[in-house]
């Protein structure tokens, strides 16, 4: 990938897509193509084909997806399955059909079986039943991995796939119903502090373990893979470090400066008990994360305080992975 190659970043307004565009610009790439969802509805096959036929991007980052936290995944089950299949089919197949040199598909750590051995090695795919709360999203992402593999096998198309762990960063969705845990808790603690609320309600029991990677690190890893990796096998992207939701909650409260009570609402689902990536393959290739969790959360709290709007964000937004 040279600095003048044309590079299409699908989902450029989302958490990962926006970070990929920023990092590409920082690295001197000048020919970046983007489209908002108003300009190009990625669910519409004919429109996507017309776009690829006209633009013929040489490199494609597929960071467009309907994403959300545990509640959104579990509630909008049909939308998560249908829309993600449509979006990824249209992008991946058009990239192949209109001569892209290479494509990177973003999957998610939820592709692995609920009770797969930890840390999650790439070989665990399709070895057991999925976590029910995000099964539709996971099935769509697994289909994307398999489409990339099949296009490579049948036509020699250079499609690679990566599975990022739970991501966070600027331009995330902070809606309290549909977001992931980290942005939800940042917002809850900031608002509770500002209103001197005596308690903050967190979901589930706090016992699940999760791994979190800053979106700027994730984007860096994805560009690294586009530049340095051309294998058929997909690769995990993460830190290899985990934290309980309870400890995460306390860390965010401390960073925000909230000292009230934290109450656990056990009527809300915990989701998968543990989700830690085996990042051995990525480390072996020479990439490691740089932003540690405390530092990353602190920067997102600052970003949120500077840019917050309390508009409700639909989970239909073009947002990347996870
Ligand atoms: O981030 P999250 O929504 O999704 O929730 P998953 C992680 C954990 O945090 C769960 C708990 O155990 C939640 O019950 N939690 C505590 C909260 N308080 C809150 C809160 O205020 N909001 C939210 N959202 N959670 C997603 C999948 O699973 O992970 C997606 O649904 C995707 O498909 C993504 O794979 C990476 O980590 O459980």
């Amino acid at each position: 990938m040279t600095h003048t190659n044309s590079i299409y970043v699908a989902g450029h307004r989302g958490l990962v897509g926006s970070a990929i565009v920023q990092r590409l610009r920082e690295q001197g790439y000048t020919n970046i193509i983007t489209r908002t969802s108003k300009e190009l509805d990625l669910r519409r096959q004919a429109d996507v084909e017309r776009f690829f036929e006209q633009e013929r991007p040489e490199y494609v980052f597929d960071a467009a997806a309907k994403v959300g936290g545990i509640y959104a995944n579990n509630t909008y089950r049909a939308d998560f399955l249908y829309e993600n299949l449509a979006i990824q089919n249209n992008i991946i197949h058009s990239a192949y059909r209109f001569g892209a040199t290479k494509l990177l598909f973003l999957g998610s750590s939820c592709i692995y079986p609920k009770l797969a051995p930890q840390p999650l090695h790439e070989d665990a795919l399709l070895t057991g039943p999925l976590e029910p709360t995000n099964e539709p999203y996971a099935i769509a992402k697994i289909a994307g991995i398999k489409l990339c593999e099949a296009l490579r096998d049948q036509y020699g198309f250079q499609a690679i796939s990566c599975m990022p762990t739970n991501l966070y960063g600027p331009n995330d969705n902070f809606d309290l119903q549909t977001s992931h845990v980290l942005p939800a808790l940042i917002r809850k603690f900031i608002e509770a502090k500002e209103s001197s609320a005596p308690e903050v309600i967190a979901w589930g029991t706090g016992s699940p373990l999760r791994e979190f990677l800053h979106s700027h690190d994730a984007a860096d890893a994805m560009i690294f893979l586009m530049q340095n990796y051309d294998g058929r096998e997909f690769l995990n992207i993460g830190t290899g470090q985990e934290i309980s939701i309870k400890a995460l909650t306390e860390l965010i409260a401390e960073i925000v400066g909230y000292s009230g009570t934290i109450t656990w609402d056990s009527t809300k689902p915990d989701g998968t008990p543990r989700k830690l990536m085996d990042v051995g393959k990525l480390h072996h290739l020479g990439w490691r994360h740089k932003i540690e969790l405390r530092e990353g959360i602190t920067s997102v709290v600052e970003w949120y305080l500077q840019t917050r709007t309390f508009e409700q964000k639909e989970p239909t937004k073009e947002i990347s992975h996870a």
Side-chain angles (χ1 to χ4, degrees), residues 73-101:
N73 267 269
N74 202 18
T75 307
Y76 308 109
R77 298 176 72 85
D79 299 348
F80 272 73
L81 181 57
Y82 173 73
E83 292 189 24
N84 282 312
L85 284 172
I87 291 167
Q88 71 201 30
N89 279 348
N90 292 339
I91 293 173
I92 298 168
H93 197 260
S94 291
Y96 150 67
R97 201 176 141 200
F98 295 103
T101 305

Side-chain angles (χ1 to χ4, degrees), residues 68-70 73 108 110 134 137 166 179-181 184-185 188 202-204 208 210 245 269-270 275 322:
I70 194 164
N73 267 269
S108 165
C110 71
N134 57 32
Y137 181 70
N166 286 31
S179 68
H180 289 100
V181 59
L185 290 176
K188 283 182 186 178
W203 294 357
R210 292 288 185 276
I245 295 299
D270 269 342
K275 211 165 29 170

Side-chain angles (χ1 to χ4, degrees), residues 14-43:
L15 175 65
V16 186
S18 62
I20 292 173
V21 169
Q22 184 181 328
R23 189 82 189 106
L24 284 170
R25 290 204 175 117
E26 285 165 5
Q27 291 191 14
Y29 292 93
T30 53
N31 194 357
I32 302 169
I33 304 167
T34 58
R35 290 289 184 278
T36 64
S37 52
K38 272 206 179 115
E39 291 165 339
L40 176 63
D41 185 338
L42 292 167
R43 295 167 299 189

